[in-house]
Amino acid sequence: MSSRSRVADETYSPLYFLASLGAGGVTVTFFMILMFWVPHPGRPVPIFEDIAAAFGTADAGLSLAILIALSGIAAFAFKNVQLLIWNLRALSRFKQTPAYDALRNSNGETTLLAMPLAMAMTVNALFIVGLVFVPGLWSVVEYLFPLALIAFVLIGAIAFRQIGHFIGRVLSKGGVFDVTAHNSFAQLLPAFAVSMVAVGLAAPAAMSTNPATVGTSIVLSSILGVIAILYTVLAATTAVSSMLQHGTAREAGPTLMIIVPIVTVLGIMLLRQNHGLHTTLDVHGSSGETLILLTRLLAIQIAFLGLGAVVLKAQGYFNDFVVGDKTSPGSYALVCPAVALSVMLHFFINKGLVAAGLIAKFGVVFWGLTALAIVAQIVAIALVLRLGRQHFRAKPLESIVPAE
């Protein structure tokens, strides 16, 4: 009888932190249902008490939606934490191997940024779990915001330490960065990680009423947000040049759409900051301005979704790595754009079109557009489940077909 193992155990890469990230992202998509469909007067987000009150008085449709959302949050938040713990243990073992030393001295060193990226997502996911499942949490939330800021600062410190090691190595010596292998957007992973920390730091700006907390949140998230934007622009510009010369690296093809989640998290960061400026610092923007901002961000996402889809189809990526037998840890990067598009569409519809008075909430147009967000969410869920079977289900060793 042949021995059995899991692909993820046999071909470990720090990119498997994206599996945890994807599950956390799906958790957020379920929270969007509660965020925009459940009334939460006087609060920027729905909490346990709001959800319980809505469930007790809602019609059958909303009650079913609430049950689905709560079940999804519980299931995927659990998977998010489970996969994060597995990755932390696997990374610890990986650090004892020669492969880790080789990684630290190659372009692939930036894949280590998937770890703080996933950790930041887990903090966000756990906060959602607390909001929707813990009664009375809102009464002590002002005490939790400083702790959340500290947590994100520590995660940010881990990210910047790793970025500093990489940049210090490649810019202090000549010839250590392989430009020919820079033919993808894989080097945008550090920007994605910093963006995720930034949006976490911005959360207290949207929810706190303490001026010191709001001010700290706005300043810290702005600093990291700007750094993330600068890094994105520089890394993307140099990558395009390499892709034009050498084509797009096949295994890294999904990174062409990494701009989509970066735009979503930075967009939410801006919305959170604007809320804090409005409620605490007396700086007021209009619904029309928010609509224009979200429309422009959505346009960027559509452009890069199209770019990624065209290249991946031309490369036959989906046939090999999603529905085929080949496996690549980088395929988990496909979950992020689906999650990000779903979340952005919810904000565009509710904070943009509805808030500006262009469409009626729960009207025909509202549901037609919301269906697009739900389809993107379903795609994300399907990818998480499919890739989970490919990479984390035990199978005979001889049947494991890693990427070439």
Side-chain angles (χ1 to χ4, degrees):
M1 180 178 294
S2 62
S3 59
R4 298 174 66 86
S5 185
R6 301 188 304 182
V7 173
D9 294 318
E10 296 298 321
T11 60
Y12 181 75
S13 163
L15 286 177
Y16 274 118
F17 276 100
L18 297 180
S20 174
L21 176 73
V26 172
T27 303
V28 176
T29 65
F30 280 108
F31 182 68
M32 291 296 98
I33 294 174
L34 304 177
M35 175 77 176
F36 295 116
W37 299 1
V38 172
H40 43 92
R43 280 181 291 268
V45 291
I47 61 175
F48 174 86
E49 288 76 9
D50 297 319
I51 298 166
F55 188 76
T57 59
D59 57 26
L62 181 56
S63 296
L64 178 60
I66 291 174
L67 284 176
I68 292 173
L70 292 176
S71 300
I73 289 171
F76 283 95
F78 176 80
K79 181 176 280 292
N80 165 257
V81 174
Q82 181 185 48
L83 288 169
L84 179 66
I85 294 172
W86 177 84
N87 267 287
L88 290 172
R89 291 173 175 170
L91 179 62
S92 179
R93 294 190 296 269
F94 181 64
K95 286 182 177 180
Q96 310 305 315
T97 67
Y100 175 75
D101 295 328
L103 182 72
R104 290 274 283 182
N105 289 283
S106 70
N107 290 20
E109 182 180 5
T110 52
T111 61
L112 293 169
L113 270 296
M115 185 260 284
L117 171 62
M119 292 175 67
M121 173 58 84
T122 297
V123 175
N124 287 319
L126 291 178
F127 193 76
I128 288 174
V129 169
L131 286 175
V132 303
F133 289 115
V134 180
L137 183 68
W138 198 253
S139 64
V140 296
V141 75
E142 288 292 352
Y143 299 100
L144 299 180
F145 289 141
L147 298 178
L149 289 173
I150 292 171
F152 282 114
V153 166
L154 292 175
I155 295 171
I158 294 172
F160 280 116
R161 181 179 180 183
Q162 293 176 340
I163 293 171
H165 183 277
F166 173 73
I167 292 179
R169 178 175 64 82
V170 301
L171 294 185
S172 64
K173 307 172 187 177
V176 298
F177 184 80
D178 186 357
V179 178
T180 62
H182 185 34
N183 53 337
S184 72
F185 281 170
Q187 293 301 324
L188 270 67
L189 189 59
F192 191 9
V194 175
S195 299
M196 189 64 71
V197 176
V199 75
L201 287 170
M207 292 181 274
S208 177
T209 57
N210 184 299
T213 300
V214 172
T216 302
S217 173
I218 290 175
V219 170
L220 290 177
S221 60
S222 294
I223 292 172
L224 267 69
V226 170
I227 292 173
I229 292 171
L230 291 174
Y231 203 113
T232 298
V233 172
L234 291 173
T237 302
T238 55
V240 168
S241 176
S242 182
M243 283 188 283
L244 290 174
Q245 294 183 57
H246 307 288
T248 302
R250 191 160 185 260
E251 273 196 73
T255 65
L256 292 177
M257 295 185 283
I258 196 173
I259 295 290
V260 179
I262 290 176
V263 166
T264 289
V265 294
L266 289 178
I268 295 173
M269 179 198 74
L270 292 173
L271 293 178
R272 287 175 168 179
Q273 291 176 341
N274 288 342
H275 190 276
L277 290 170
H278 170 72
T279 59
T280 305
L281 301 179
D282 201 31
V283 177
H284 306 293
S286 69
S287 298
E289 290 172 325
T290 301
L291 172 62
I292 291 298
L293 169 65
L294 292 172
T295 302
R296 290 169 177 169
L297 295 178
L298 185 59
I300 296 172
Q301 292 182 316
I302 292 172
F304 281 94
L305 281 169
L307 171 66
V310 167
V311 175
L312 290 175
K313 182 179 179 181
Q315 292 180 329
Y317 186 93
F318 296 102
N319 290 335
D320 283 345
F321 296 106
V322 178
V323 299
D325 295 327
K326 292 185 178 180
T327 56
S328 170
S331 59
Y332 269 101
L334 291 171
V335 180
C336 300
V339 166
L341 180 63
S342 178
V343 173
M344 178 57 75
L345 284 171
H346 278 294
F347 275 94
F348 172 71
I349 295 163
N350 293 275
K351 293 294 186 181
L353 298 175
V354 172
L358 296 181
I359 66 173
K361 192 174 183 69
F362 302 136
V364 175
V365 177
F366 175 92
W367 287 119
L369 294 173
T370 298
L372 299 176
I374 294 175
V375 167
Q377 179 185 14
I378 292 172
V379 170
I381 294 170
L383 284 169
V384 168
L385 298 178
R386 168 63 182 169
L387 295 175
R389 288 195 297 271
Q390 283 183 301
H391 292 263
F392 289 93
R393 176 177 292 179
K395 57 178 66 176
L397 283 173
E398 61 270 20
S399 70
I400 294 177
V401 185
E404 297 175 351

